[in-house]
């Protein structure tokens, strides 16, 4: 069955970068996109970015455009989200999730059928 | 971007009762591209409904979605103890995906 396992919790200083990994299994990696969503305590979920796992194309939310990078390693069926210039407001849980639409017809506008367990990122001096 | 407003903020019901959760959009959602998720404490969201009314794989038929345009509803019949959680709606009809702020369903 589909499994998504994210890397463990991170503690970073303001201004630093963090790289979170998202390893998937149980399906053909390049058939479905990976999206990244974050959720601050008591806040609504916030979409950040997606990657077309077949061709590597990405699209980022304007809010994170200048400091987020999504990459993938098809041989490792793993996707990475790197967020730079961290601020205290970036302290939150980061999720990766599979887009439900086959990647050949998918866009950044999709719903998410499988989610990773989440990665807590804490930004503190 | 489309703003989704969920109501009520908290819903207190007893097992066996019916829950009705609302999600209202600031503008019409194209093709009824509206999904619902359930999230329990410390867990990732779980997909319940997509396309406004289609149940995701493995979701019991006591969960149903309805609505169109700007007004959508998630109905949970015959509440089970495991249904008490936070529920979010999400629109994906607009390129800027957005989520509602959530409705907490708690045991009365």
């Amino acid at each position: 069955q589909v499994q998504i396992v994210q890397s463990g919790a991170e503690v970073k200083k303001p201004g630093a970068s963090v790289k979170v990994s998202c390893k998937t299994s149980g399906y053909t990696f390049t058939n479905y996109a990976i999206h990244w969503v974050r959720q601050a305590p008591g806040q609504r979920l916030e979409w950040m970015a997606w990657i077309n796992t077949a061709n590597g194309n990405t699209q980022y939310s304007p809010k994170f455009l200048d400091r987020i990078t999504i990459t993938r390693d098809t041989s490792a069926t793993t996707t990475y989200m790197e967020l730079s210039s961290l601020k205290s407001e970036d302290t939150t849980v980061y999720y990766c999730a599979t887009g439900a639409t086959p990647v050949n017809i998918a866009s950044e506008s999709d719903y998410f059928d499988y989610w990773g367990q989440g990665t807590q990122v804490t930004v503190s001096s | 971007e489309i703003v989704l407003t969920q109501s009520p903020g908290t819903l207190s019901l007893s097992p066996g009762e019916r829950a009705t959760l609302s999600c209202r959009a600031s503008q019409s959602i194209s093709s009824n591209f509206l999904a619902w998720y359930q999230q329990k404490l410390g867990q990732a969201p779980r997909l319940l409904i997509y396309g406004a009314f289609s149940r995701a794989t493995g979701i019991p038929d006591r969960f149903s979605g309805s609505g169109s345009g700007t007004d959508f509803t998630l109905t949970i019949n015959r509440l089970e103890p495991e249904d008490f959680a936070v529920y979010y709606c999400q629109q994906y009809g607009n390129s800027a995906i957005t989520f509602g702020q959530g409705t907490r369903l708690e045991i009365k």
Side-chain angles (χ1 to χ4, degrees):
Chain A
Q1 78 273 22
V2 175
Q3 286 195 309
I4 303 179
V5 179
Q6 298 181 222
S7 50
E10 302 265 11
V11 179
K12 296 292 183 181
K13 293 196 182 303
S17 297
V18 67
K19 192 170 186 177
V20 179
S21 69
C22 169
K23 177 161 178 63
T24 63
S25 60
Y27 71 100
T28 301
F29 177 72
T30 51
N31 281 0
Y32 295 92
I34 292 290
H35 295 251
W36 289 86
V37 176
R38 75 178 190 176
Q39 184 177 35
Q43 301 297 311
R44 63 185 71 200
L45 294 150
E46 181 175 33
W47 182 82
M48 301 177 71
W50 82 302
I51 184 166
N52 180 319
T53 50
N55 60 22
N57 287 349
T58 55
Q59 188 156 353
Y60 304 132
S61 166
K63 179 175 179 178
F64 304 102
L65 190 56
D66 58 346
R67 60 191 189 102
I68 190 172
T69 304
I70 308 295
T71 56
R72 98 282 193 220
D73 179 342
T74 55
S75 62
T77 65
T78 299
T79 304
Y80 303 91
M81 187 280 295
E82 184 167 22
L83 191 63
S84 61
S85 303
L86 290 169
K87 318 165 199 176
S88 59
E89 307 91 271
D90 295 319
T91 295
T92 185
V93 178
Y94 292 79
Y95 293 101
C96 63
T98 60
T101 304
V103 73
N104 59 323
I105 57 172
S107 72
E108 74 279 11
S109 299
D110 205 355
Y111 61 99
F112 315 121
D113 48 4
Y114 297 99
W115 296 65
Q117 83 278 17
T119 296
Q120 174 70 49
V121 174
T122 301
V123 183
S124 174
S125 54
Chain B
E1 79 178 25
I2 295 177
V3 177
L4 299 179
T5 302
Q6 294 186 237
S7 61
T10 301
L11 186 57
S12 299
L13 294 170
S14 301
E17 292 190 297
R18 173 186 296 172
T20 302
L21 288 68
S22 172
C23 176
R24 177 163 292 178
S26 60
Q27 56 188 278
S28 185
I29 297 174
S30 63
S31 304
N32 294 327
F33 283 166
L34 192 286
W36 289 92
Y37 300 87
Q38 176 194 70
Q39 186 177 35
K40 297 182 180 178
L41 192 62
Q43 297 184 17
R46 178 174 74 140
L47 177 67
L48 300 174
I49 301 287
Y50 62 93
F53 59 83
S54 297
R55 268 188 305 277
T57 303
I59 302 303
D61 61 7
R62 64 178 183 274
F63 290 89
S64 64
S66 62
S68 63
T70 60
D71 289 295
F72 298 86
T73 300
L74 174 69
T75 302
I76 312 170
N77 289 311
R78 305 179 307 277
L79 283 167
E80 298 282 347
E82 62 267 25
D83 298 336
F84 293 91
V86 180
Y87 292 83
Y88 294 96
C89 57
Q90 176 225 338
Q91 69 78 23
Y92 53 101
N94 178 280
S95 62
I97 292 170
T98 50
F99 292 85
Q101 84 281 17
T103 289
R104 179 177 305 278
L105 178 58
E106 63 177 28
I107 298 179
K108 188 173 182 179

